[in-house]
Amino acid sequence: MAGPEWWRSAVFYQIYPKSFADGNGDGIGDIPGVTDRLDYLKLLGIDAIWLSPFYTSPMADGGYDVADPCDVDPIFGTLADFDTMLAAAHERGIRITVDIVPNHFSDQHPWFQAALKAAPGSPERERFIFRDGHGANGELPPNNWPSVFGGPAWHRVTEANGEPGQWYLHIFAPEQPDLNWLNPEIPDEFERVMRFWLDRGVDGFRVDVAHSMAKPDGLPDMNLATLGALNEAMPALDDPRWDDDAVHDIHRRFRRTLDSYSGDRMAVGEAWVPNPERLALYVREDELNLTFNFELIEAKWGLESFTQAITDSLKSLAAVGAPCSWVLSNHDVVRHTTRYGGGAIGSARGRAAALIQLSLPGAVYLYNGDELGLENVDLPDEVLQDPTWKRSGYTERGRDGERVPLPWEGHQPPFSFTTNETSWLPMPASWESVTVERQLDNEESTLSLYRRALLRRAETPAIHGGDFNWIGAPEGCLAYTRGDDFVVAVNFSDLDAVLPPGEVLLASSPLESEGVLPANTAVWLKAESPLA
Protein backbone atom coordinates (compact mmCIF):
# COMPACT_ATOMS: atom_id res chain seq x y z
CA MET A 1 0.00 0.00 0.00
CA ALA A 2 1.20 3.50 -0.88
CA GLY A 3 -0.04 6.95 0.10
CA PRO A 4 -1.33 8.49 3.32
CA GLU A 5 -2.13 6.11 6.15
CA TRP A 6 -0.61 3.29 4.13
CA TRP A 7 -0.55 1.14 7.26
CA ARG A 8 -4.35 0.90 7.51
CA SER A 9 -4.52 -2.08 5.12
CA ALA A 10 -0.86 -2.96 4.59
CA VAL A 11 0.55 -6.48 4.66
CA PHE A 12 3.47 -6.60 7.09
CA TYR A 13 5.93 -9.48 7.13
CA GLN A 14 7.57 -10.24 10.47
CA ILE A 15 11.23 -11.22 10.23
CA TYR A 16 12.73 -12.91 13.27
CA PRO A 17 16.33 -12.03 12.36
CA LYS A 18 18.02 -15.13 13.75
CA SER A 19 15.77 -17.35 11.65
CA PHE A 20 15.25 -15.65 8.29
CA ALA A 21 18.55 -15.81 6.38
CA ASP A 22 22.23 -15.95 7.34
CA GLY A 23 24.50 -13.67 5.32
CA ASN A 24 27.88 -14.41 6.93
CA GLY A 25 27.83 -18.18 7.33
CA ASP A 26 27.85 -18.48 11.14
CA GLY A 27 24.53 -20.34 11.32
CA ILE A 28 22.59 -17.36 12.71
CA GLY A 29 20.35 -15.14 10.62
CA ASP A 30 21.42 -11.51 10.26
CA ILE A 31 20.73 -8.19 8.56
CA PRO A 32 22.87 -8.90 5.45
CA GLY A 33 20.81 -12.07 5.08
CA VAL A 34 17.64 -9.95 5.03
CA THR A 35 19.15 -7.72 2.34
CA ASP A 36 20.06 -10.76 0.25
CA ARG A 37 16.45 -12.00 0.33
CA LEU A 38 14.56 -8.74 -0.27
CA ASP A 39 13.79 -9.73 -3.86
CA TYR A 40 11.96 -12.78 -2.50
CA LEU A 41 9.80 -10.54 -0.33
CA LYS A 42 9.12 -8.28 -3.30
CA LEU A 43 8.07 -11.36 -5.28
CA LEU A 44 5.85 -12.49 -2.41
CA GLY A 45 4.01 -9.17 -2.53
CA ILE A 46 4.26 -7.74 0.98
CA ASP A 47 4.14 -4.01 1.76
CA ALA A 48 6.34 -3.71 4.84
CA ILE A 49 8.71 -5.62 7.09
CA TRP A 50 8.55 -5.78 10.87
CA LEU A 51 12.11 -6.58 11.93
CA SER A 52 12.26 -8.13 15.39
CA PRO A 53 15.07 -6.95 17.70
CA PHE A 54 18.58 -6.82 16.28
CA TYR A 55 20.02 -4.52 18.95
CA THR A 56 23.06 -5.09 21.14
CA SER A 57 22.01 -7.85 23.53
CA PRO A 58 23.35 -10.75 25.61
CA MET A 59 20.49 -12.76 24.02
CA ALA A 60 19.00 -13.99 27.28
CA ASP A 61 15.59 -13.66 25.60
CA GLY A 62 16.28 -13.75 21.89
CA GLY A 63 17.25 -10.08 21.68
CA TYR A 64 14.36 -8.71 23.76
CA ASP A 65 16.91 -8.02 26.51
CA VAL A 66 18.41 -4.87 25.01
CA ALA A 67 21.76 -3.55 26.23
CA ASP A 68 22.02 -0.75 23.64
CA PRO A 69 18.84 0.18 21.74
CA CYS A 70 20.78 2.40 19.30
CA ASP A 71 23.23 -0.11 17.90
CA VAL A 72 23.23 -3.46 16.08
CA ASP A 73 24.43 -6.58 17.86
CA PRO A 74 27.53 -7.98 16.13
CA ILE A 75 25.80 -11.31 15.48
CA PHE A 76 23.36 -9.40 13.23
CA GLY A 77 25.85 -7.05 11.58
CA THR A 78 26.51 -3.32 11.88
CA LEU A 79 24.64 -0.03 11.63
CA ALA A 80 26.06 0.27 8.11
CA ASP A 81 24.48 -3.11 7.29
CA PHE A 82 21.16 -1.82 8.62
CA ASP A 83 21.38 1.34 6.52
CA THR A 84 22.15 -0.75 3.43
CA MET A 85 19.17 -3.01 4.09
CA LEU A 86 16.86 -0.06 4.74
CA ALA A 87 17.86 1.67 1.50
CA ALA A 88 17.54 -1.55 -0.50
CA ALA A 89 14.07 -2.20 0.92
CA HIS A 90 12.91 1.32 0.13
CA GLU A 91 14.23 0.95 -3.43
CA ARG A 92 11.88 -2.03 -3.78
CA GLY A 93 8.92 -0.18 -2.31
CA ILE A 94 9.08 -2.11 0.97
CA ARG A 95 8.79 -0.17 4.22
CA ILE A 96 10.75 -1.10 7.35
CA THR A 97 9.40 -1.09 10.90
CA VAL A 98 11.48 -2.11 13.91
CA ASP A 99 10.90 -3.14 17.50
CA ILE A 100 11.19 -0.95 20.53
CA VAL A 101 11.24 -2.68 23.91
CA PRO A 102 10.08 -0.12 26.50
CA ASN A 103 9.16 -2.35 29.44
CA HIS A 104 12.69 -3.38 30.32
CA PHE A 105 16.38 -3.21 29.49
CA SER A 106 19.02 -5.91 29.67
CA ASP A 107 20.76 -6.35 33.00
CA GLN A 108 23.93 -5.57 31.01
CA HIS A 109 22.66 -2.10 30.03
CA PRO A 110 24.97 0.57 31.52
CA TRP A 111 22.07 2.04 33.47
CA PHE A 112 21.38 -1.22 35.30
CA GLN A 113 25.04 -1.92 35.96
CA ALA A 114 25.23 1.55 37.55
CA ALA A 115 22.10 0.78 39.60
CA LEU A 116 23.68 -2.39 41.00
CA LYS A 117 26.68 -0.38 42.19
CA ALA A 118 24.58 2.45 43.62
CA ALA A 119 22.85 2.64 46.99
CA PRO A 120 19.14 2.08 47.65
CA GLY A 121 17.17 5.23 46.89
CA SER A 122 19.82 6.54 44.50
CA PRO A 123 18.97 8.18 41.16
CA GLU A 124 20.49 5.17 39.40
CA ARG A 125 18.08 2.79 41.11
CA GLU A 126 15.12 5.07 40.46
CA ARG A 127 15.40 4.22 36.74
CA PHE A 128 14.24 0.70 37.61
CA ILE A 129 11.79 -0.78 40.13
CA PHE A 130 13.79 -1.61 43.24
CA ARG A 131 12.00 -2.37 46.49
CA ASP A 132 12.86 -3.60 49.97
CA GLY A 133 11.77 -7.16 50.66
CA HIS A 134 9.24 -8.41 53.19
CA GLY A 135 10.10 -10.56 56.20
CA ALA A 136 12.26 -9.90 59.22
CA ASN A 137 15.38 -9.40 57.09
CA GLY A 138 13.85 -8.53 53.75
CA GLU A 139 14.23 -12.12 52.63
CA LEU A 140 10.82 -12.33 50.95
CA PRO A 141 9.89 -10.70 47.59
CA PRO A 142 8.04 -7.36 47.77
CA ASN A 143 4.88 -8.98 46.36
CA ASN A 144 3.64 -12.28 44.94
CA TRP A 145 3.88 -11.46 41.22
CA PRO A 146 5.14 -14.33 39.07
CA SER A 147 7.42 -13.93 36.07
CA VAL A 148 6.07 -14.81 32.64
CA PHE A 149 9.01 -17.18 32.27
CA GLY A 150 8.43 -18.98 35.57
CA GLY A 151 9.38 -18.33 39.18
CA PRO A 152 8.94 -15.04 41.01
CA ALA A 153 9.09 -11.69 39.19
CA TRP A 154 11.65 -10.39 41.69
CA HIS A 155 15.38 -10.91 42.07
CA ARG A 156 17.39 -9.95 45.13
CA VAL A 157 20.70 -8.16 44.68
CA THR A 158 23.87 -8.25 46.72
CA GLU A 159 24.76 -4.77 47.92
CA ALA A 160 28.21 -3.18 47.82
CA ASN A 161 28.87 -4.35 51.38
CA GLY A 162 28.34 -7.96 50.37
CA GLU A 163 25.01 -8.29 52.18
CA PRO A 164 21.70 -9.32 50.57
CA GLY A 165 19.83 -6.16 49.70
CA GLN A 166 16.90 -4.87 47.71
CA TRP A 167 14.87 -6.70 45.11
CA TYR A 168 14.22 -5.55 41.54
CA LEU A 169 11.18 -6.33 39.40
CA HIS A 170 11.45 -8.39 36.22
CA ILE A 171 8.11 -9.37 34.70
CA PHE A 172 10.10 -11.48 32.25
CA ALA A 173 13.58 -12.95 32.87
CA PRO A 174 15.90 -11.78 35.69
CA GLU A 175 18.14 -10.51 32.91
CA GLN A 176 15.33 -8.09 31.92
CA PRO A 177 14.82 -5.57 34.76
CA ASP A 178 11.64 -3.52 34.40
CA LEU A 179 12.00 0.20 33.86
CA ASN A 180 10.34 2.77 36.12
CA TRP A 181 8.18 4.85 33.79
CA LEU A 182 7.31 7.24 36.64
CA ASN A 183 10.87 8.52 36.33
CA PRO A 184 10.95 11.24 33.61
CA GLU A 185 14.33 9.98 32.44
CA ILE A 186 12.63 6.91 30.93
CA PRO A 187 10.21 8.61 28.50
CA ASP A 188 12.98 11.04 27.56
CA GLU A 189 15.29 8.14 26.77
CA PHE A 190 12.74 6.36 24.62
CA GLU A 191 12.00 9.53 22.69
CA ARG A 192 15.74 9.70 22.00
CA VAL A 193 15.76 6.06 20.86
CA MET A 194 12.75 6.55 18.59
CA ARG A 195 14.27 9.65 17.01
CA PHE A 196 17.56 7.83 16.43
CA TRP A 197 15.81 5.27 14.21
CA LEU A 198 13.30 7.68 12.66
CA ASP A 199 16.16 9.94 11.64
CA ARG A 200 17.75 6.95 9.88
CA GLY A 201 14.54 6.54 7.87
CA VAL A 202 12.55 3.72 9.49
CA ASP A 203 8.84 3.83 8.77
CA GLY A 204 7.59 2.86 12.19
CA PHE A 205 7.79 0.70 15.27
CA ARG A 206 6.31 -2.35 16.87
CA VAL A 207 5.97 -1.67 20.60
CA ASP A 208 6.84 -4.78 22.58
CA VAL A 209 4.42 -5.71 25.41
CA ALA A 210 2.72 -2.36 24.99
CA HIS A 211 0.37 -3.11 27.89
CA SER A 212 3.07 -3.55 30.51
CA MET A 213 5.05 -0.36 31.20
CA ALA A 214 2.71 1.27 33.76
CA LYS A 215 2.47 -0.41 37.15
CA PRO A 216 -0.28 0.16 39.73
CA ASP A 217 0.40 2.25 42.81
CA GLY A 218 1.83 0.21 45.63
CA LEU A 219 2.44 -2.88 43.48
CA PRO A 220 -0.35 -4.88 45.19
CA ASP A 221 -0.41 -8.66 45.36
CA MET A 222 -2.35 -10.39 42.61
CA ASN A 223 -4.97 -13.12 42.66
CA LEU A 224 -2.92 -16.08 41.48
CA ALA A 225 -6.08 -18.13 40.94
CA THR A 226 -6.87 -16.06 37.83
CA LEU A 227 -3.34 -16.15 36.46
CA GLY A 228 -3.13 -16.18 32.66
CA ALA A 229 0.19 -16.93 30.95
CA LEU A 230 1.25 -14.49 28.26
CA ASN A 231 1.21 -17.07 25.50
CA GLU A 232 -1.61 -19.29 26.66
CA ALA A 233 -4.53 -17.01 27.55
CA MET A 234 -5.49 -13.38 27.69
CA PRO A 235 -4.62 -11.82 31.07
CA ALA A 236 -7.36 -11.65 33.64
CA LEU A 237 -9.03 -8.29 34.18
CA ASP A 238 -7.63 -8.10 37.71
CA ASP A 239 -4.00 -9.02 36.81
CA PRO A 240 -2.12 -5.92 38.05
CA ARG A 241 0.97 -6.61 35.94
CA TRP A 242 -0.79 -5.59 32.74
CA ASP A 243 -3.01 -2.98 31.15
CA ASP A 244 -2.87 -0.28 33.81
CA ASP A 245 -4.66 2.82 32.54
CA ALA A 246 -1.56 4.96 33.00
CA VAL A 247 0.07 3.17 30.08
CA HIS A 248 -1.98 5.26 27.66
CA ASP A 249 -0.10 8.44 28.53
CA ILE A 250 3.08 6.65 27.46
CA HIS A 251 1.58 5.79 24.10
CA ARG A 252 0.38 9.35 23.63
CA ARG A 253 3.97 10.52 23.95
CA PHE A 254 5.09 7.88 21.44
CA ARG A 255 2.43 9.18 19.05
CA ARG A 256 3.52 12.80 19.46
CA THR A 257 7.05 11.77 18.55
CA LEU A 258 5.88 9.92 15.46
CA ASP A 259 3.64 12.76 14.35
CA SER A 260 6.54 15.20 14.51
CA TYR A 261 7.96 13.46 11.41
CA SER A 262 6.71 13.60 7.85
CA GLY A 263 6.08 10.48 5.78
CA ASP A 264 3.25 8.92 7.77
CA ARG A 265 5.33 7.10 10.38
CA MET A 266 3.41 4.60 12.49
CA ALA A 267 3.45 2.29 15.51
CA VAL A 268 1.70 -0.97 16.27
CA GLY A 269 1.34 -2.24 19.81
CA GLU A 270 1.61 -5.76 21.15
CA ALA A 271 -1.08 -5.63 23.80
CA TRP A 272 -2.40 -8.85 25.33
CA VAL A 273 -5.52 -7.57 27.07
CA PRO A 274 -8.66 -9.32 28.31
CA ASN A 275 -11.10 -8.26 25.60
CA PRO A 276 -11.47 -6.25 22.37
CA GLU A 277 -12.94 -3.29 24.24
CA ARG A 278 -9.75 -2.88 26.26
CA LEU A 279 -7.68 -3.36 23.11
CA ALA A 280 -9.51 -0.52 21.34
CA LEU A 281 -8.25 1.93 23.96
CA TYR A 282 -4.71 1.55 22.60
CA VAL A 283 -5.69 2.86 19.16
CA ARG A 284 -7.64 5.93 20.06
CA GLU A 285 -6.94 8.93 17.84
CA ASP A 286 -3.98 10.20 19.86
CA GLU A 287 -2.39 6.84 20.71
CA LEU A 288 -1.01 4.00 18.57
CA ASN A 289 -1.91 3.65 14.89
CA LEU A 290 -2.48 -0.10 15.12
CA THR A 291 -2.53 -2.79 17.73
CA PHE A 292 -2.16 -6.48 17.10
CA ASN A 293 -5.47 -8.26 17.15
CA PHE A 294 -4.81 -11.63 18.78
CA GLU A 295 -8.41 -12.82 18.57
CA LEU A 296 -7.60 -15.12 15.62
CA ILE A 297 -4.60 -16.50 17.51
CA GLU A 298 -6.86 -17.30 20.44
CA ALA A 299 -9.65 -18.69 18.26
CA LYS A 300 -9.79 -22.44 17.81
CA TRP A 301 -10.53 -23.69 14.31
CA GLY A 302 -14.31 -23.55 14.03
CA LEU A 303 -17.24 -21.53 12.78
CA GLU A 304 -18.37 -20.07 16.09
CA SER A 305 -14.93 -19.07 17.37
CA PHE A 306 -13.88 -17.39 14.11
CA THR A 307 -17.21 -15.64 13.70
CA GLN A 308 -17.08 -14.26 17.23
CA ALA A 309 -13.41 -13.23 16.93
CA ILE A 310 -14.07 -11.29 13.73
CA THR A 311 -17.35 -9.73 14.92
CA ASP A 312 -16.04 -8.60 18.30
CA SER A 313 -12.81 -7.20 16.85
CA LEU A 314 -14.44 -5.19 14.09
CA LYS A 315 -17.08 -3.79 16.42
CA SER A 316 -14.66 -2.70 19.14
CA LEU A 317 -12.09 -1.04 16.90
CA ALA A 318 -14.72 0.64 14.74
CA ALA A 319 -15.90 2.42 17.87
CA VAL A 320 -12.58 4.34 17.98
CA GLY A 321 -12.16 4.64 14.20
CA ALA A 322 -9.16 2.31 14.06
CA PRO A 323 -8.47 -0.57 11.69
CA CYS A 324 -7.87 -4.12 12.88
CA SER A 325 -4.56 -5.84 12.31
CA TRP A 326 -4.98 -9.58 11.89
CA VAL A 327 -2.43 -12.13 13.12
CA LEU A 328 -2.37 -15.93 12.89
CA SER A 329 1.18 -16.66 14.09
CA ASN A 330 4.29 -14.95 15.41
CA HIS A 331 7.56 -15.73 17.19
CA ASP A 332 5.79 -16.19 20.54
CA VAL A 333 2.98 -18.61 19.67
CA VAL A 334 2.67 -22.08 18.17
CA ARG A 335 2.31 -21.84 14.40
CA HIS A 336 -1.29 -21.91 13.29
CA THR A 337 -0.89 -24.98 11.06
CA THR A 338 0.14 -26.90 14.16
CA ARG A 339 -2.63 -25.38 16.32
CA TYR A 340 -5.17 -26.48 13.71
CA GLY A 341 -4.14 -30.14 13.94
CA GLY A 342 -0.89 -30.40 11.98
CA GLY A 343 -0.27 -32.65 9.00
CA ALA A 344 -2.65 -32.58 6.06
CA ILE A 345 -5.63 -31.27 8.03
CA GLY A 346 -3.57 -28.54 9.70
CA SER A 347 -2.23 -27.53 6.31
CA ALA A 348 -5.70 -27.36 4.75
CA ARG A 349 -7.07 -25.31 7.65
CA GLY A 350 -4.01 -23.05 7.66
CA ARG A 351 -4.44 -22.29 3.96
CA ALA A 352 -8.12 -21.52 4.51
CA ALA A 353 -7.29 -19.27 7.47
CA ALA A 354 -4.85 -17.36 5.27
CA LEU A 355 -7.64 -16.45 2.85
CA ILE A 356 -9.72 -15.25 5.80
CA GLN A 357 -6.85 -13.20 7.23
CA LEU A 358 -6.00 -11.63 3.88
CA SER A 359 -9.58 -10.63 3.11
CA LEU A 360 -10.66 -8.97 6.37
CA PRO A 361 -10.78 -5.18 6.79
CA GLY A 362 -7.53 -3.73 8.08
CA ALA A 363 -3.85 -4.61 8.15
CA VAL A 364 -2.27 -8.07 8.11
CA TYR A 365 0.82 -9.37 9.89
CA LEU A 366 2.43 -12.49 8.45
CA TYR A 367 5.17 -14.34 10.34
CA ASN A 368 8.15 -15.58 8.37
CA GLY A 369 7.30 -19.10 7.27
CA ASP A 370 3.52 -18.61 7.28
CA GLU A 371 3.69 -18.46 3.50
CA LEU A 372 5.44 -21.84 3.42
CA GLY A 373 2.87 -23.50 5.65
CA LEU A 374 5.54 -24.37 8.20
CA GLU A 375 4.60 -26.25 11.35
CA ASN A 376 6.19 -26.08 14.78
CA VAL A 377 9.20 -28.34 15.18
CA ASP A 378 9.45 -30.72 18.12
CA LEU A 379 13.08 -30.05 19.04
CA PRO A 380 15.24 -32.26 21.28
CA ASP A 381 15.72 -31.02 24.83
CA GLU A 382 19.43 -30.38 24.45
CA VAL A 383 19.02 -27.67 21.76
CA LEU A 384 16.29 -25.61 23.45
CA GLN A 385 17.33 -22.00 24.09
CA ASP A 386 14.17 -20.19 25.20
CA PRO A 387 14.55 -19.04 28.85
CA THR A 388 11.11 -20.49 29.60
CA TRP A 389 12.60 -23.99 29.41
CA LYS A 390 15.08 -23.42 32.25
CA ARG A 391 12.98 -21.03 34.33
CA SER A 392 10.04 -23.47 34.37
CA GLY A 393 12.21 -26.23 35.77
CA TYR A 394 12.32 -27.92 32.35
CA THR A 395 8.56 -28.39 32.22
CA GLU A 396 7.57 -25.79 29.58
CA ARG A 397 9.40 -26.08 26.28
CA GLY A 398 9.04 -22.44 25.34
CA ARG A 399 8.95 -20.84 21.90
CA ASP A 400 11.87 -22.37 20.03
CA GLY A 401 9.57 -24.63 18.00
CA GLU A 402 8.16 -21.67 16.07
CA ARG A 403 11.59 -20.03 15.67
CA VAL A 404 13.33 -22.72 13.61
CA PRO A 405 15.05 -21.08 10.58
CA LEU A 406 13.45 -20.91 7.14
CA PRO A 407 14.28 -23.55 4.49
CA TRP A 408 15.29 -21.87 1.24
CA GLU A 409 16.58 -24.50 -1.17
CA GLY A 410 18.41 -27.79 -1.48
CA HIS A 411 17.82 -31.35 -0.34
CA GLN A 412 19.07 -31.40 3.24
CA PRO A 413 19.37 -29.12 6.27
CA PRO A 414 20.19 -26.28 6.60
CA PHE A 415 18.54 -25.76 3.18
CA SER A 416 20.70 -22.74 2.20
CA PHE A 417 19.59 -20.76 5.24
CA THR A 418 23.32 -20.64 5.96
CA THR A 419 26.55 -21.83 4.37
CA ASN A 420 27.47 -23.23 7.79
CA GLU A 421 26.95 -26.95 8.35
CA THR A 422 24.28 -26.31 10.95
CA SER A 423 21.80 -23.58 11.89
CA TRP A 424 21.34 -22.11 15.36
CA LEU A 425 18.25 -24.31 15.80
CA PRO A 426 18.20 -27.57 13.83
CA MET A 427 15.85 -27.96 10.86
CA PRO A 428 14.03 -31.22 10.15
CA ALA A 429 15.05 -33.15 7.05
CA SER A 430 11.37 -33.43 6.13
CA TRP A 431 11.40 -29.73 5.23
CA GLU A 432 12.97 -30.62 1.89
CA SER A 433 9.43 -30.70 0.49
CA VAL A 434 8.53 -27.20 1.73
CA THR A 435 11.57 -25.13 0.77
CA VAL A 436 11.03 -21.85 -1.03
CA GLU A 437 12.65 -23.36 -4.12
CA ARG A 438 10.32 -26.36 -4.22
CA GLN A 439 7.21 -24.29 -3.56
CA LEU A 440 7.99 -21.65 -6.19
CA ASP A 441 8.02 -24.45 -8.77
CA ASN A 442 4.64 -25.81 -7.63
CA GLU A 443 1.53 -23.82 -8.56
CA GLU A 444 -0.49 -25.69 -5.91
CA SER A 445 1.93 -24.98 -3.05
CA THR A 446 1.12 -22.84 -0.03
CA LEU A 447 3.66 -20.26 -1.18
CA SER A 448 1.95 -20.00 -4.55
CA LEU A 449 -1.40 -19.60 -2.79
CA TYR A 450 -0.05 -16.71 -0.74
CA ARG A 451 1.48 -15.05 -3.79
CA ARG A 452 -1.81 -15.24 -5.71
CA ALA A 453 -3.77 -14.03 -2.69
CA LEU A 454 -1.47 -11.09 -2.07
CA LEU A 455 -1.61 -10.08 -5.74
CA ARG A 456 -5.42 -10.34 -5.78
CA ARG A 457 -5.61 -8.37 -2.52
CA ALA A 458 -3.45 -5.59 -3.99
CA GLU A 459 -5.68 -5.41 -7.07
CA THR A 460 -9.01 -5.41 -5.18
CA PRO A 461 -10.00 -1.96 -3.88
CA ALA A 462 -12.87 -3.40 -1.84
CA ILE A 463 -10.42 -5.25 0.42
CA HIS A 464 -8.74 -1.98 1.32
CA GLY A 465 -11.99 -0.29 2.32
CA GLY A 466 -14.04 -0.73 5.45
CA ASP A 467 -17.14 -2.32 3.95
CA PHE A 468 -17.87 -5.73 5.51
CA ASN A 469 -21.13 -7.66 5.73
CA TRP A 470 -22.04 -11.15 6.87
CA ILE A 471 -24.24 -13.09 4.46
CA GLY A 472 -26.08 -16.39 4.73
CA ALA A 473 -24.06 -19.57 4.47
CA PRO A 474 -24.67 -23.36 4.66
CA GLU A 475 -24.40 -25.14 7.99
CA GLY A 476 -20.81 -25.24 9.22
CA CYS A 477 -19.80 -22.37 6.93
CA LEU A 478 -19.40 -18.62 7.15
CA ALA A 479 -19.59 -16.09 4.35
CA TYR A 480 -19.09 -12.35 4.08
CA THR A 481 -18.79 -9.68 1.43
CA ARG A 482 -16.26 -6.92 0.86
CA GLY A 483 -17.66 -4.23 -1.36
CA ASP A 484 -20.52 -5.03 -3.69
CA ASP A 485 -19.25 -8.14 -5.46
CA PHE A 486 -16.32 -9.71 -3.52
CA VAL A 487 -17.44 -12.78 -1.54
CA VAL A 488 -15.50 -14.94 0.92
CA ALA A 489 -16.89 -18.34 1.93
CA VAL A 490 -15.31 -20.78 4.36
CA ASN A 491 -16.30 -24.36 5.17
CA PHE A 492 -15.18 -25.13 8.72
CA SER A 493 -16.83 -28.54 8.80
CA ASP A 494 -15.44 -31.94 7.89
CA LEU A 495 -18.16 -32.42 5.25
CA ASP A 496 -18.61 -30.95 1.80
CA ALA A 497 -20.91 -27.93 1.50
CA VAL A 498 -22.62 -26.06 -1.31
CA LEU A 499 -20.34 -23.61 -3.10
CA PRO A 500 -21.96 -20.15 -3.32
CA PRO A 501 -22.67 -18.88 -6.83
CA GLY A 502 -20.12 -16.68 -8.57
CA GLU A 503 -16.81 -16.72 -10.38
CA VAL A 504 -14.11 -18.47 -8.34
CA LEU A 505 -11.14 -16.15 -7.95
CA LEU A 506 -9.08 -18.24 -5.55
CA ALA A 507 -9.55 -21.37 -3.44
CA SER A 508 -7.41 -22.66 -0.59
CA SER A 509 -7.89 -26.28 -1.69
CA PRO A 510 -8.74 -27.85 -5.07
CA LEU A 511 -12.42 -27.60 -6.06
CA GLU A 512 -12.77 -31.04 -7.60
CA SER A 513 -16.55 -31.21 -7.92
CA GLU A 514 -18.72 -28.54 -9.49
CA GLY A 515 -20.79 -26.59 -6.98
CA VAL A 516 -19.01 -28.15 -3.98
CA LEU A 517 -17.01 -26.31 -1.30
CA PRO A 518 -14.79 -28.99 0.28
CA ALA A 519 -14.24 -29.38 4.01
CA ASN A 520 -11.69 -27.04 5.61
CA THR A 521 -11.59 -24.82 2.54
CA ALA A 522 -11.98 -21.10 1.88
CA VAL A 523 -12.83 -19.50 -1.45
CA TRP A 524 -12.82 -15.99 -2.87
CA LEU A 525 -15.61 -15.32 -5.38
CA LYS A 526 -16.83 -12.56 -7.62
CA ALA A 527 -20.59 -12.39 -7.23
CA GLU A 528 -22.68 -12.97 -10.35
CA SER A 529 -24.34 -9.59 -9.80
CA PRO A 530 -23.69 -6.71 -7.39
CA LEU A 531 -24.89 -7.47 -3.89
CA ALA A 532 -27.35 -5.11 -2.27
Side-chain angles (χ1 to χ4, degrees), residues 79 127 143 146 283 312 327-328 373 423 522:
L79 272 173
R127 293 167 171 160
N143 68 22
V283 283
D312 292 349
V327 185
L328 292 174
S423 51

Side-chain angles (χ1 to χ4, degrees), residues 173-195:
E175 296 88 351
Q176 295 167 291
D178 280 42
L179 290 159
N180 174 19
W181 275 85
L182 295 175
N183 184 333
E185 279 193 87
I186 307 307
D188 287 350
E189 172 65 3
F190 273 87
E191 179 170 342
R192 183 188 75 86
V193 170
M194 291 177 71
R195 291 189 182 280

Side-chain angles (χ1 to χ4, degrees), residues 126-144:
E126 285 302 307
R127 293 167 171 160
F128 300 90
I129 301 177
F130 280 86
R131 295 289 187 274
D132 294 330
H134 293 316
N137 299 299
E139 71 276 9
L140 300 176
N143 68 22
N144 70 344

Side-chain angles (χ1 to χ4, degrees), residues 337-338 341-349 375:
T337 47
T338 299
I345 194 167
S347 175
R349 291 171 174 175
E375 296 186 39

Side-chain angles (χ1 to χ4, degrees), residues 20-24 30-40 85:
F20 185 67
D22 174 18
N24 67 359
D30 49 34
I31 291 174
V34 174
T35 306
D36 290 344
R37 299 291 186 177
L38 285 173
D39 285 335
Y40 164 75
M85 182 273 298

Side-chain angles (χ1 to χ4, degrees), residues 6 24 35 39 46 60 146 167 205 224 238 268 320 380 439 483 531:
W6 59 272
N24 67 359
T35 306
D39 285 335
I46 55 102
W167 299 72
F205 299 96
L224 296 177
D238 61 351
V268 60
V320 294
Q439 295 205 42
L531 298 163

Side-chain angles (χ1 to χ4, degrees), residues 106-268:
S106 165
D107 63 349
Q108 299 305 302
H109 190 285
W111 279 9
F112 192 72
Q113 289 298 302
L116 292 178
K117 296 174 183 176
S122 63
E124 291 84 357
R125 290 206 174 177
E126 285 302 307
R127 293 167 171 160
F128 300 90
I129 301 177
F130 280 86
R131 295 289 187 274
D132 294 330
H134 293 316
N137 299 299
E139 71 276 9
L140 300 176
N143 68 22
N144 70 344
W145 292 4
S147 161
V148 168
F149 293 150
W154 295 91
H155 186 82
R156 197 175 193 188
V157 302
T158 300
E159 303 293 358
N161 61 6
E163 296 294 322
Q166 288 190 305
W167 299 72
Y168 68 85
L169 180 68
H170 59 89
I171 295 296
F172 293 88
E175 296 88 351
Q176 295 167 291
D178 280 42
L179 290 159
N180 174 19
W181 275 85
L182 295 175
N183 184 333
E185 279 193 87
I186 307 307
D188 287 350
E189 172 65 3
F190 273 87
E191 179 170 342
R192 183 188 75 86
V193 170
M194 291 177 71
R195 291 189 182 280
F196 177 87
W197 294 107
L198 290 166
D199 289 344
R200 300 192 91 86
V202 303
D203 299 285
F205 299 96
R206 177 263 192 184
V207 183
D208 184 57
V209 286
H211 57 308
S212 64
M213 292 90 76
K215 309 298 192 291
D217 292 342
L219 305 179
D221 281 352
M222 62 181 293
N223 179 5
L224 296 177
T226 61
L227 179 64
L230 176 68
N231 305 323
E232 295 175 358
M234 295 297 185
L237 275 168
D238 61 351
D239 188 332
R241 298 173 300 169
W242 315 113
D243 196 31
D244 187 89
D245 285 339
V247 78
H248 296 289
D249 286 335
I250 298 172
H251 293 305
R252 291 185 181 99
R253 179 153 179 182
F254 289 167
R255 181 61 177 269
R256 290 194 297 271
T257 301
L258 290 166
D259 288 350
S260 70
Y261 285 77
S262 61
D264 216 19
R265 312 298 177 95
M266 58 78 65
V268 60

